[in-house]
Amino acid sequence: MKVEFAPLSVPLQRRLQTASVAQWIFSFLGLAQCCTAAFITLFFTRFWLVSALYAAWWLIDRDKPSKGGRRIHVLRNCIIWRYMRDYFPITLIKTAELDPRQNYLVGFHPHGVLAAGAFLNFCTEASGFSTLFPGITPHLMMLSLWFRIPFFRDYVMSGGLIASDKESASYVLQKPEGGNLLAIIVGGAQEALDARPGSFTLLLKNRKGFVRLAIQHGTPLVPAFSFGENDLFDQVKNPKGSWLRRIQHWLQQIMGISLPLFHARGIFQYSFGLMPYRRPICTVVGKPIPVQKKHRPSEEEVDQVHQKYLNELSKLFEKHKAKYNVPEDSHLEFI
């Protein structure tokens, strides 16, 4: 006999969606600190052996974030990510096929405040990545700083996050069997300081390291633009040259992460809080740009491929912007 469950009521679904996003924000704003505190505190309790054993494991496993990470498919397929997807909602759009016999380097734009689209699309199966791109294993690069935090490093690796260094990128791209996708949020944390509704400014004009990496491995470049990524939060005004912007840049140089002063709505009210607005995100993955392999490309060769990438990204944006309510007179600005 088949047992059928009654569908959840709309209010309950909305509560679950809100709760899923709240835990995701906490995981990046508070969980790292909690993991560190727990690791240290356990040393002074009768459970000190837990931290001692983990420290030994951490030492043995220290290179894992630069060796492809350790994804856990059960966590990638967890239902909580589907509730998070439906909160905004978030959609992943494919515009071209990706050959599973090849590796790919995807440039993701823009960073946004918390890179919600990049995380959900590449670190979970909520938007159906494996269905859209069969035979392709996604990896998303994240600041190496986060992999130095006990327990938290294992949590972020479970989704497919890897350290953002050249060694880590090369490990993925040089796999001869193919079928790997390396996603890089090219604008990085610095771009988050310009993330606000209606902004289409990308920190990309002088970011060429990912292009050089693609040429060295002969890996096709794939542009991806996430419409709505910058619309999730408002941000305190911080124009270039302002005292706030100078402080944010100073802190970024010290800690390696930017600290945008963002706000949106609350959990139980809509006027103020750290919860993102319920605004749709649509990540459009463009077609691959063939790259000829060369171990030591010249600056001119890197510049040529970089310019081609900028052109293809602009074409992708212009082709799809009308579908996502972007004004006709809005265009990408590269700084």
Side-chain angles (χ1 to χ4, degrees):
M1 182 176 67
K2 184 179 179 180
V3 178
E4 295 186 359
F5 295 93
L8 298 175
S9 64
V10 173
L12 179 56
Q13 287 182 14
R14 293 180 72 87
R15 291 193 194 100
L16 290 172
Q17 292 165 9
T18 302
S20 67
V21 175
Q23 70 82 28
W24 170 70
I25 291 176
F26 168 75
S27 70
F28 284 96
L29 298 183
L31 184 57
Q33 292 87 336
C34 291
C35 287
T36 303
F39 178 75
I40 296 172
T41 302
L42 285 173
F43 272 114
F44 300 95
T45 70
R46 60 179 178 175
F47 302 106
W48 62 270
L49 188 59
V50 174
S51 287
L53 290 174
Y54 184 84
W57 160 251
W58 190 2
L59 181 64
I60 297 171
D61 195 57
R62 62 186 180 279
D63 293 331
K64 196 62 178 178
S66 296
K67 302 295 183 183
R70 184 187 302 104
R71 65 186 60 239
I72 300 176
H73 293 287
V74 172
L75 294 181
R76 281 181 57 89
N77 286 279
C78 184
I79 192 173
I80 195 171
W81 306 127
R82 295 199 289 275
Y83 284 121
M84 178 180 167
R85 173 200 65 195
D86 295 337
Y87 173 91
F88 297 99
I90 295 178
T91 309
L92 181 63
I93 301 295
K94 178 179 73 173
T95 62
E97 295 293 338
L98 298 185
D99 186 350
R101 295 170 295 181
Q102 280 192 308
N103 296 319
Y104 296 91
L105 196 159
V106 171
F108 183 92
H109 314 273
H111 183 285
V113 171
L114 294 178
F119 173 80
L120 197 92
N121 287 318
F122 299 119
C123 298
T124 80
E125 288 295 333
S127 56
F129 181 92
S130 294
T131 302
L132 287 172
F133 302 103
I136 303 292
T137 301
H139 304 265
L140 178 64
M141 300 195 85
M142 186 181 192
L143 283 174
S144 301
L145 167 71
W146 298 108
F147 296 96
R148 299 170 190 164
I149 301 173
F151 304 121
F152 185 77
R153 67 187 290 275
D154 300 283
Y155 166 69
V156 294
M157 278 197 294
S158 69
L161 285 158
I162 59 175
S164 58
D165 54 53
K166 187 175 181 180
E167 178 189 359
S168 181
S170 296
Y171 182 88
V172 173
L173 297 179
Q174 68 187 7
K175 289 187 175 181
E177 68 274 14
N180 292 282
L181 181 151
L182 178 66
I184 301 178
I185 307 178
V186 182
Q190 187 177 344
E191 191 175 78
L193 298 177
D194 290 312
R196 46 179 48 85
S199 173
F200 300 104
T201 301
L202 302 181
L203 189 60
L204 187 56
K205 190 175 182 179
N206 296 311
R207 297 273 173 124
K208 302 177 183 179
F210 74 106
V211 173
R212 184 180 299 276
L213 190 66
I215 296 175
Q216 289 173 341
H217 292 279
T219 305
L221 282 165
V222 182
F225 192 87
S226 197
F227 291 91
E229 193 75 45
N230 283 341
D231 298 335
L232 305 185
F233 297 94
D234 293 314
Q235 189 173 163
V236 175
K237 291 184 178 179
N238 58 342
K240 293 181 179 179
S242 65
W243 65 270
L244 177 57
R245 189 64 166 243
R246 288 196 295 269
I247 291 175
Q248 288 173 323
H249 277 303
W250 177 67
L251 290 174
Q252 182 184 354
Q253 291 174 354
I254 295 175
M255 300 184 296
I257 58 175
S258 64
L259 296 172
L261 298 181
F262 61 91
H263 59 89
R265 50 158 289 189
I267 296 178
F268 303 109
Q269 43 76 30
Y270 300 94
S271 57
F272 189 83
L274 296 180
M275 287 289 292
Y277 295 119
R278 283 181 178 266
R279 293 173 180 170
I281 298 174
C282 187
T283 302
V284 183
V285 180
K287 63 181 181 180
I289 303 170
V291 174
Q292 185 175 357
K293 185 176 182 179
K294 190 171 185 180
H295 182 59
R296 292 184 178 178
S298 65
E299 291 297 328
E300 291 75 17
E301 290 170 326
V302 172
D303 289 342
Q304 288 177 2
V305 177
H306 182 261
Q307 186 58 53
K308 187 174 183 179
Y309 179 86
L310 296 183
N311 294 339
E312 290 299 322
L313 179 60
S314 295
K315 290 178 183 178
L316 183 71
F317 177 82
E318 295 295 332
K319 182 178 180 179
H320 295 274
K321 68 180 184 181
K323 304 174 187 176
Y324 307 110
N325 301 317
V326 176
E328 187 176 350
D329 59 351
S330 294
H331 309 284
L332 293 182
E333 178 186 0
F334 303 122
I335 60 173

